Amino acid sequence: MEETSNASFMEDKSAKIFVAGHRGLVGSAIVRKLQYLGFNNLLLRTHKELDLTCQSDVEKFFSDEKPKYVILSAAKVGGIHANNTYPAEFIAVNLQIQTNVIDSAYKNGVKKLLFLGSSCIYPKFAPQPITEDALLTGPLEPTNEWYAIAKIAGIKMCQAYRLQYNWDAISGMPTNLYGPNDNFHPENSHVLPALMRRFHEAKVSGAKEVRVWGTGSPLREFLHVDDLADAVVFLMANYSGLVHMNVGSGKEVTIKELAELVKEVVGFYGELVWDIMKPDGTPRKLMDSSKLASLGWVPNISLREGLIDTYKWYLQNLRQ
Ligand SMILES: NC(=O)C1=CN([C@@H]2O[C@H](COP(=O)(O)OP(=O)(O)OC[C@H]3O[C@@H](n4cnc5c(N)ncnc54)[C@H](OP(=O)(O)O)[C@@H]3O)[C@@H](O)[C@H]2O)C=CC1
Ligand SMILES: C[C@H]1O[C@H](OP(=O)(O)OP(=O)(O)OC[C@H]2O[C@@H](n3cnc4c(=O)[nH]c(N)nc43)[C@H](O)[C@@H]2O)[C@@H](O)[C@@H](O)C1=O
């Protein structure tokens, strides 16, 4: 046994940690956080270097590298339109990635793994705020049920491996996230980066109006990805239970309120036009994150602050 093998996660700064999906929104924030904390042995592979849907490649990677910890933030991810348009990819790719990584991690002696799901695992009409025990109590939101089913399978796989093998696999369920390195694709992204880009481009081109999808009435809870990364590290250090853990901000806004706020932060002064032919998705999904709060973690970046920070990043990195 290496000297540090029984050290707690926070003390184990030279432990080999595989952050899967390290160039994405979430993975890059986790890498920033771990590096800031002094972790100095991060194991990182781009999609091109290691396709996590390929079982034999994933098995070889784990067998060669033997990471001590795994944070699984690689997935096929997208907004309401992408989920609705590519259901086969959303279910198949996510099942493949998570099954390969979780199983190989267990078989190769990984000490602890954290799997990331999403608030869309809960029933469309779950009582609000949504507690962890609402899982599997009702039908899912149809626009993202394929992705949700894969994520539910990931939670269940972590639970099954804990129950049968006494293996320390945990799951975090983040709410809607945003921040640096988000996907700003005009159609396939989530609402916040989509609107930021659309308002920015309208400001630059002098357009008089911007199109926003749906009715504007759905409620969403947003969390800055740096808060999520902080929660992920907190869970790695402080939680080893069977139940998945909600990770939210506890604050919700309507899509109309969000659009007005993004518009203000970007500095676009035109009109909003609502495209009601586009789906609203689930009417409301505010999570109850009191279980995590009771362990001692709370978020600290407000939506306004987070939007200002993200727009600054957008201007420095992605300006058209
Ligand atoms: N964004 C959000 O609002 C939310 C995200 N989550 C969860 O957080 C996690 C991360 O999401 P997020 O960071 O937003 O997603 P991103 O799309 O920003 O990042 C996903 C990462 O996974 C990598 N990846 C995808 N497919 C493969 C593959 N076959 N092999 C190797 N790498 C692959 C991508 O690489 P490449 O780009 O090169 O394909 C990318 O780096 C996911 O599990 C997601 O479900 C949960 C709730 C909300
Ligand atoms: C994180 C979460 O993300 C997805 O669920 P969602 O919360 O519905 O995600 P969304 O960000 O795409 O939309 C939120 C709301 O915003 C409205 N909306 C307005 N204008 C735009 C727009 O321009 N783009 C987008 N994408 N939405 C828009 C849109 O009509 C909807 O009412 C899931 O696929 C699911 O898999 C998941 O886990």
Side-chain angles (χ1 to χ4, degrees):
M1 281 269 181
E2 54 180 312
E3 201 189 306
T4 55
S5 65
N6 288 320
S8 78
F9 180 77
M10 291 307 281
E11 290 160 8
D12 207 356
K13 295 294 199 288
S14 60
K16 194 185 264 194
I17 307 176
F18 176 40
V19 181
H22 71 285
R23 294 209 292 199
L25 169 69
V26 170
S28 62
I30 292 170
V31 166
R32 283 197 300 279
K33 182 73 190 177
L34 290 172
Q35 286 174 337
Y36 170 80
L37 292 170
F39 288 89
N40 56 33
N41 195 9
L42 303 185
L43 179 60
L44 309 171
R45 290 290 183 279
T46 63
H47 188 161
K48 207 169 162 200
E49 289 165 342
L50 175 64
D51 182 349
L52 296 169
T53 64
C54 178
Q55 184 180 357
S56 54
D57 288 358
V58 174
E59 282 171 355
K60 181 172 187 320
F61 167 76
F62 273 91
S63 157
D64 289 350
E65 294 292 343
K66 300 280 183 204
K68 184 166 183 181
Y69 296 104
V70 172
I71 300 176
L72 180 43
S73 50
K76 169 90 183 157
V77 179
I80 192 166
H81 172 78
N83 269 268
N84 219 3
T85 311
Y86 311 109
E89 286 175 49
F90 273 84
I91 192 163
V93 170
N94 285 311
L95 284 172
Q96 285 165 358
I97 291 176
Q98 69 203 35
T99 304
N100 291 340
V101 172
I102 294 170
D103 189 61
S104 285
Y106 166 68
K107 285 181 177 149
N108 285 283
V110 165
K111 184 174 177 183
K112 181 170 191 168
L113 173 144
L114 183 142
F115 168 71
L116 285 166
S118 160
S119 58
C120 69
I121 57 159
Y122 292 114
K124 176 168 184 162
F125 298 112
Q128 312 276 324
I130 312 172
T131 50
E132 285 84 357
D133 59 11
L135 185 65
L136 294 173
T137 56
L140 297 163
E141 154 59 31
T143 55
N144 58 38
E145 66 175 308
W146 319 100
Y147 173 78
I149 292 281
K151 292 295 184 182
I152 293 169
I155 297 171
K156 290 295 166 191
M157 194 159 165
C158 290
Q159 291 180 342
Y161 278 51
R162 177 178 293 278
L163 291 171
Q164 186 172 343
Y165 305 132
N166 196 26
W167 185 49
D168 197 1
I170 59 171
S171 302
M173 292 310 112
T175 187
N176 292 42
L177 304 168
Y178 69 97
N181 290 316
D182 209 341
N183 168 13
F184 289 83
H185 188 279
E187 300 292 324
N188 292 334
S189 64
H190 290 102
V191 59
L192 195 153
L195 292 184
M196 187 168 280
R197 176 175 176 169
R198 219 172 286 147
F199 286 133
H200 174 77
E201 289 176 357
K203 179 174 87 169
V204 170
S205 71
K208 297 273 179 295
E209 50 183 47
V210 157
R211 196 172 44 90
V212 189
W213 299 356
T215 61
S217 67
L219 285 151
R220 291 291 183 274
E221 176 190 18
F222 292 94
L223 182 73
H224 191 281
V225 74
D226 286 346
D227 271 339
L228 189 261
D230 194 50
V232 162
V233 171
F234 180 88
L235 287 168
M236 288 298 288
N238 296 289
Y239 182 67
S240 287
L242 186 69
V243 178
H244 60 281
M245 191 68 76
N246 288 348
V247 188
S249 62
K251 306 243 163 58
E252 58 183 345
V253 289
T254 63
I255 294 303
K256 182 166 190 308
E257 287 164 341
L258 175 77
E260 295 290 352
L261 193 55
V262 178
K263 181 180 158 190
E264 182 196 324
V265 167
V266 170
F268 170 69
Y269 298 104
E271 299 296 319
L272 304 185
V273 176
W274 294 93
D275 179 356
I276 57 166
M277 297 311 285
K278 290 281 198 295
D280 269 344
T282 199
R284 190 181 178 200
K285 51 172 176 172
L286 176 65
M287 290 200 300
D288 180 334
S289 301
S290 57
K291 203 180 274 289
L292 180 55
S294 73
L295 295 179
W297 186 86
V298 285
N300 67 52
I301 303 171
S302 72
L303 181 56
R304 178 179 289 276
E305 264 181 291
L307 278 172
I308 292 169
D309 164 79
T310 306
Y311 188 50
K312 226 180 259 171
W313 184 90
Y314 177 86
L315 290 176
Q316 281 160 7
N317 293 276
L318 291 177
R319 186 158 37 172
Q320 302 303 301

